[in-house]
Amino acid sequence: MRMPMIAGNWKMNTTVGEAIELVNEMRSRLDEIDNVDKVICPPFISLATVKELIKGSSIKLGAQNIYFEEKGAYTGEISPLMLTELCEFVIIGHSERRQYFNETDEIINKKGQSALKVGLKPILCIGERLEQNEAGLTAEVVTKQLRSALVGIDDLSKMIIAYEPIWAIGTGRAATGKQANNTIGFIRQTISQLYDKGIAQNVRILYGGSVTAANASDFVQQYEIDGALVGGASLKTNEFLSIVRLTSEIKGSLRG
Ligand code: PEP
């Protein structure tokens, strides 16, 4: 069975002080919830502080980005190696980075390879734009993104994939559980072709895009969906806790 996961992408929100407040608010209640990986991804500047705050808890830490080189003259960038002291996961290929920072499939592939090389677990985001969705191109787009991102990567055991339709991110217009389940099922099939059936069955695939406490159950009750990458709602303690709790309960009851 795949361990469910809820990851909170705080994006470019929270000062260090605000991050401390948020973690203090959610830490003990989040820690109590079992049978789901709980990951928070604050901005770089708060990683070291948050790491200390969550020490001894079951909460895991992720970063929102990396550069693919190990070190050198890349002013302002953070390398995977630097992050290994701070966190376990790193988000790569987020649509906001593709859109605003011109990250190509090739760059994302390099980021994935360099993260895995030092033992960081990438949360690889893929997803189609609205017009691609409306033109029936979802499968084609996610296949292309997936194939490019996975070039040269033999071991998927440390990789998490997040299907995030761009039209659903931050818009309040989430996909339906069924739609997301179909696309994620398709992603699994593609992985099965690229690797094998066992690998495809074991890889965790999340849904992301306007997930809230009100719609989370619609997603996590689907067989193919292993949890969610949550943006806006991850900054609201009660909302985030509800999503994590629902996931633990629903996935737990599906397991029997
Ligand atoms: C995200 O940032 O990955 C995301 C899914 O955002 P939101 O939940 O706000 O749509």
Side-chain angles (χ1 to χ4, degrees):
M1 276 306 276
R2 303 181 295 263
M3 179 68 146
M5 172 185 283
I6 299 293
N9 173 15
W10 292 8
K11 312 198 190 199
M12 197 177 72
N13 294 294
T14 66
T15 60
V16 177
E18 287 164 346
I20 294 172
E21 237 174 84
L22 193 54
V23 173
N24 281 340
E25 245 175 52
M26 55 173 77
R27 182 183 44 205
S28 60
R29 290 157 73 200
L30 205 49
D31 189 30
E32 283 165 0
I33 310 171
D34 295 329
N35 300 321
V36 50
D37 273 341
K38 301 147 287 191
V39 182
I40 52 175
C41 306
F44 283 133
I45 53 158
S46 295
L47 284 173
T49 310
V50 172
K51 182 186 174 210
E52 286 308 308
L53 289 174
I54 60 173
K55 213 176 226 168
S57 82
S58 55
I59 303 164
K60 299 178 177 190
L61 200 53
Q64 298 174 20
N65 184 32
I66 39 165
Y67 191 55
F68 51 77
E69 295 290 352
E70 194 177 293
K71 60 181 169 181
Y74 303 101
T75 303
E77 293 300 307
I78 302 289
S79 81
L81 189 63
M82 293 170 182
L83 287 181
T84 54
E85 289 178 2
L86 295 171
C87 61
E88 186 176 339
F89 296 91
V90 61
I91 299 170
I92 59 169
H94 194 283
S95 63
E96 288 153 14
R97 298 223 47 99
R98 293 178 192 255
Q99 186 181 348
Y100 305 132
F101 302 97
N102 303 318
E103 290 195 8
T104 60
D105 285 334
E106 195 190 358
I107 291 173
I108 292 156
N109 172 250
K110 284 187 184 173
K111 289 187 175 196
Q113 295 208 36
S114 63
L116 288 167
K117 195 170 151 201
V118 295
L120 274 180
K121 298 173 184 164
I123 302 175
L124 166 68
C125 302
I126 55 175
E128 81 287 2
R129 295 195 305 269
L130 182 62
E131 68 275 15
Q132 293 170 326
N133 178 279
E134 287 174 347
L137 296 172
T138 301
E140 198 178 306
V141 172
V142 296
T143 304
K144 181 179 174 291
Q145 291 174 336
L146 195 62
R147 279 180 174 273
S148 318
L150 298 180
V151 168
I153 295 176
D154 300 323
D155 180 8
L156 280 201
S157 63
K158 304 257 172 358
M159 173 87 88
I160 289 103
I161 294 167
Y163 167 57
E164 298 209 305
I166 297 170
W167 46 271
I169 297 178
T171 58
R173 178 186 168 185
T176 64
K178 271 217 172 104
Q179 274 175 331
N181 195 59
N182 284 343
T183 305
I184 291 177
F186 173 79
I187 291 169
R188 230 179 262 291
Q189 264 176 36
T190 308
I191 293 173
S192 179
Q193 286 158 11
L194 292 173
Y195 296 83
D196 67 40
K197 209 170 167 194
I199 291 175
Q201 277 310 310
N202 285 334
V203 69
R204 289 188 288 181
I205 312 183
L206 315 178
Y207 165 77
S210 296
V211 173
T212 63
N215 64 18
S217 59
D218 194 22
F219 298 106
V220 297
Q221 70 196 355
Q222 308 288 337
Y223 172 76
E224 303 287 2
I225 306 180
D226 299 313
L229 179 55
V230 182
S234 69
L235 293 161
K236 299 174 192 156
T237 299
N238 288 335
E239 191 83 7
F240 191 61
L241 281 161
S242 296
I243 296 169
V244 175
R245 203 171 292 119
L246 274 166
T247 304
S248 165
E249 286 166 7
I250 293 172
K251 289 294 187 195
S253 73
L254 291 177
R255 276 178 184 175

